[in-house]
Amino acid sequence: MTGQGTGLKPGEALGILGGGQLGRMLAIAAAQIGLDVHVYTDEADSPASRVAAKTIVGAYDDEAKLAAFAREARIVTSEFENVPAATADALVAAGAIVRPDPRALAVAQDRFDEKTFLNSMDVPTVPFAAVNSLAELEAALSRIGTPAILKTRRLGYDGLGQARLQSGADAAAAWEKMSGAPAILEGFASFEREVSIIAARGADGSFARYDLCENDHAGGILSSTRLPARASPAVSAAAEKAVRRVMEHFDYVGVLTIEFFLMADGALIANEMAPRVHNSGHWTIEGALTSQFEQHVRAVVGWRLGPAARIADCEMTNLIGEDASRWAEIASDPSAHLHLYGKRSTRAGRKMGHVTRLKFPPT
Ligand code: AMP
């Protein structure tokens, strides 16, 4: 069952970098199949550490603490893509197997490198250009046109570090918003809807994918996901081809997500890739035979992948900020599966939990 001596057995420790809600749901899934989870995070009292067997709180560049982490957790995965390259290097130097491959994490950390990489895999994106000054922004605008979006290349998520440009007159204000950080100008996609593909690749090269997810965003943050997506089988097949290609390239092990814009003519344009479990896959906890979290754990610890079939139509709604104060009402609704992440404080825009509703039979 395990991959030629590199896999973990029940009772052994899986390491997770990061202490947020994705780490928490990975830890719960790992515990269900008998693994101990050791979390490494720079945050005390994190959502993941409160369901893990052990937590090391340390900076991501603390080589001594990372080495102590790697001594007990032979296989280490991550709940976020912004793992510094030096962190992964320190873990590997200490003898850990890091899955997925840090090269996939590195590409996904930089929006320019990511789009360049996707294009090299024959996966289309919007037109884009690297921007390091107002003059470069103006030059890029004359090539790409408006509307357009300026984003920081690194460390942006949930619509943070972004500025929309309706015309060239918006250039100075948009560049100002980047605070001097290297940026990328992207053409604006007038999409019909947004979809994502979530797939897994095992250590043995096996592949499984979930049904295409249809996603709604509000203010740059995912608000809800529904299954089945309103998309043709040809669109699903194109998304599968893209994710397979990316995974094969990295000899990838684990779950990987690609977010796309679906255009009116059926064209799929990739927005970004996430080398990890994804918010648009939370429906799989109740709605699929194997959740994305268990699937990722199975892959990285060298077990066979589980079946990824969807068992119902699903609607997942994020509980953002004060939405979570409705927990008692949601918990008493028999059609709702409530998930709360145990975050100690509520902030506007912060993902506090989610709710999934299933409808049988699946269409
Ligand atoms: P991101 O931070 O790149 O995931 O963007 C968050 C959301 O902003 C996306 O899910 C889209 O709804 C919107 N968005 C980002 N980039 C573009 C683009 N180039 N064209 C149209 N909408 C975009």
Side-chain angles (χ1 to χ4, degrees):
M1 179 136 221
T2 55
Q4 278 88 54
T6 58
L8 294 187
K9 294 188 194 65
E12 291 191 295
L14 168 67
I16 298 179
L17 287 171
Q21 68 268 17
L22 299 178
R24 179 177 172 103
M25 290 183 272
L26 283 168
I28 292 168
Q32 187 179 305
I33 57 172
L35 297 160
D36 280 356
V37 168
H38 292 194
V39 168
Y40 191 100
T41 170
D42 60 2
E43 181 198 355
D45 198 28
S46 69
S49 64
R50 298 210 303 286
V51 300
K54 180 170 177 177
T55 299
I56 296 183
V57 178
Y60 288 110
D61 61 0
D62 187 328
E63 286 185 19
K65 281 191 179 171
L66 288 166
F69 177 60
R71 264 195 297 279
E72 290 183 21
R74 227 171 8 93
I75 296 183
V76 174
T77 190
S78 169
E79 62 132 28
F80 67 116
E81 56 270 42
N82 289 316
V83 175
T87 306
D89 290 347
L91 291 169
V92 171
I97 297 171
V98 178
R99 287 176 171 158
D101 192 308
R103 288 177 307 149
L105 302 185
V107 163
Q109 285 172 10
D110 181 305
R111 292 181 191 276
F112 180 82
D113 294 349
E114 180 179 57
K115 286 191 166 60
T116 304
F117 165 72
L118 287 166
N119 287 176
S120 78
M121 293 283 104
D122 259 345
V123 179
T125 62
V126 291
F128 62 96
V131 166
N132 294 302
S133 66
L134 181 56
E136 282 184 21
L137 173 57
E138 279 161 354
L141 276 170
S142 65
R143 182 166 72 77
I144 290 171
T146 51
I149 306 189
L150 188 67
K151 304 177 178 178
T152 53
R153 282 174 62 155
R154 304 178 74 88
L155 297 174
Y157 67 98
D158 287 348
L160 297 173
Q162 300 191 6
R164 297 208 175 188
L165 295 98
Q166 293 307 332
S167 77
D170 296 333
W175 174 243
E176 184 84 359
K177 214 173 157 192
M178 301 298 108
S179 310
I184 175 174
L185 184 73
E186 297 183 5
F188 189 83
S190 301
F191 54 81
E192 197 161 70
R193 55 186 65 106
E194 292 186 79
V195 296
S196 55
I197 185 97
I198 300 171
R201 190 165 178 275
D204 58 357
S206 56
F207 175 85
R209 76 157 171 96
Y210 294 96
D211 282 359
L212 201 67
C213 313
E214 179 174 335
N215 303 320
D216 278 319
H217 291 81
I221 305 177
L222 183 73
S223 52
S224 65
T225 296
R226 63 146 119 167
L227 283 284
R230 289 168 295 166
S232 67
V235 166
S236 288
E240 174 176 333
K241 199 167 155 191
V243 78
R244 268 187 191 270
R245 233 182 238 162
V246 169
M247 287 179 145
E248 299 289 321
H249 174 84
F250 289 116
D251 193 15
Y252 193 90
V253 178
V255 164
L256 184 135
T257 306
I258 305 181
E259 294 178 55
F260 295 96
F261 304 129
L262 177 54
M263 309 305 280
D265 64 0
L268 267 184
I269 293 183
N271 177 30
E272 59 186 0
M273 60 181 241
R276 54 170 168 77
V277 288
H278 194 259
N279 194 168
S280 65
H282 292 357
W283 63 271
T284 61
I285 297 175
E286 291 87 10
L289 288 177
T290 308
S291 78
Q292 64 165 348
F293 300 101
E294 179 174 339
Q295 196 73 292
H296 183 76
V297 170
R298 282 175 162 266
V300 300
V301 304
W303 291 21
R304 280 208 188 105
L305 299 181
R310 180 169 61 84
I311 60 164
D313 287 2
C314 302
E315 172 126 18
M316 186 290 305
T317 306
N318 270 339
L319 298 174
I320 295 170
E322 285 302 328
D323 293 348
S325 63
R326 290 175 33 236
W327 65 268
E329 174 200 330
I330 299 166
S332 56
D333 173 354
S335 72
H337 295 273
L338 174 66
H339 297 256
L340 292 171
Y341 307 147
K343 295 187 180 176
R344 299 293 194 202
S345 60
T346 308
R347 269 199 316 273
R350 192 168 201 206
K351 291 173 179 169
M352 304 300 294
H354 72 267
V355 187
T356 302
R357 290 187 167 81
L358 305 185
K359 207 169 108 211
F360 293 94
T363 51

